[in-house]
Amino acid sequence: MVEVESAPGRSVLRGIGRYLREDRECRAAHIRPDTKGRGWVTEVKSMQPGTIVARIGDHALVEALRAAELPVVDIGGELPRLGFPVVGLDNPAIGRIMAEHLIERGFRRLAFVGMRGPKWAEDRRSGFIAAASARGLDVAEQDSPYDPLPLQLDAPVRIRLQKWLRDLPKPVGIAACNDHTGRSMLGQCRELDLAVPEDVAVLG
């Protein structure tokens, strides 16, 4: 149960596909559960899988997975203390690599746009700031709510982000906590007629 709308989700599926090519005794099925209903649970149980690999992002899915009574591996780790084994990302390292990439590209003014609360986002922020600080660079910070589509932010949030972008010294390299946030930043740059990447480089 992995989303195909994002590059990381598709990458996970490619990795599973590589494993399947190496182990011909193993089979996989990709399903998109409707977390509002439980019909898919019966379907999955009838397959008798050895395990369910899922990115678990909401409690409705947690309850449905528990109802399936099958082994589950969580590939997100977004919800803490579920009791499922977790295969996660090294988020502080992601933040560090983002900073190093922008610095290697010649940026000496850096910024980070993230979400407050989710541990993965905070870990990426702290890794980014630590790497910049090790190079003697400060980081301008800004918070943004989850925005699945660019330019869908509430007007007060959009105005605040645009003022922040407008006031940042240029050129600036901005690290966004995820691709959705990065895409939103690109939308704000477009509205402000800021040149990307000449004035503002955005890294998701």
Side-chain angles (χ1 to χ4, degrees):
M1 299 179 185
V2 182
E3 79 285 354
V4 295
E5 295 81 7
S6 71
R10 292 190 296 273
S11 182
V12 167
L13 291 176
R14 279 194 297 273
I16 291 171
R18 279 195 300 272
Y19 177 80
L20 294 176
R21 286 193 293 276
E22 295 168 6
D23 184 348
R24 297 182 186 278
E25 298 302 312
C26 188
R27 291 191 175 93
H30 181 246
I31 65 169
R32 298 173 62 92
D34 173 8
T35 55
K36 297 177 181 62
R38 294 283 181 87
W40 62 269
V41 173
T42 303
E43 180 185 347
V44 168
K45 289 177 82 166
S46 71
M47 296 177 190
Q48 299 182 319
T51 191
I52 298 174
V53 177
R55 187 184 308 280
I56 304 172
D58 63 69
H59 289 286
L61 182 56
V62 172
E63 292 172 15
L65 288 168
R66 293 199 196 287
E69 299 178 321
L70 292 164
V72 174
V73 175
D74 179 6
I75 60 165
E78 296 176 22
L79 301 177
R81 297 178 294 281
L82 295 179
F84 300 133
V86 176
V87 177
L89 301 172
D90 186 342
N91 289 301
I94 289 172
R96 183 186 75 245
I97 290 167
M98 292 172 86
E100 291 170 355
H101 176 79
L102 290 170
I103 292 167
E104 286 169 5
R105 296 301 178 275
F107 289 95
R108 294 298 174 264
R109 298 184 184 99
L110 301 176
F112 187 91
V113 181
M115 291 179 272
R116 293 291 181 181
K119 187 174 187 313
W120 60 267
E122 297 290 11
D123 285 349
R124 291 177 189 186
R125 181 194 304 263
S126 62
F128 186 87
I129 292 171
S133 179
R135 301 283 194 98
L137 301 175
D138 294 326
V139 175
E141 296 181 63
Q142 186 55 262
D143 299 329
S144 178
Y146 179 78
D147 177 25
L149 294 171
L151 309 180
Q152 301 301 305
L153 295 168
D154 292 338
V157 175
R158 195 164 63 248
I159 290 167
R160 171 175 55 81
L161 285 172
Q162 289 184 4
K163 181 183 185 313
W164 178 74
L165 273 171
R166 193 182 300 112
D167 293 346
L168 282 175
K170 314 291 188 303
V172 61
I174 297 179
C177 67
N178 63 6
D179 291 339
H180 293 298
T181 304
R183 186 171 58 192
S184 179
M185 287 298 98
L186 291 173
Q188 309 314 314
C189 288
R190 182 183 297 114
E191 284 203 353
L192 295 172
D193 289 324
L194 294 172
V196 176
E198 293 82 5
D199 294 331
V200 181
V202 179
L203 181 60

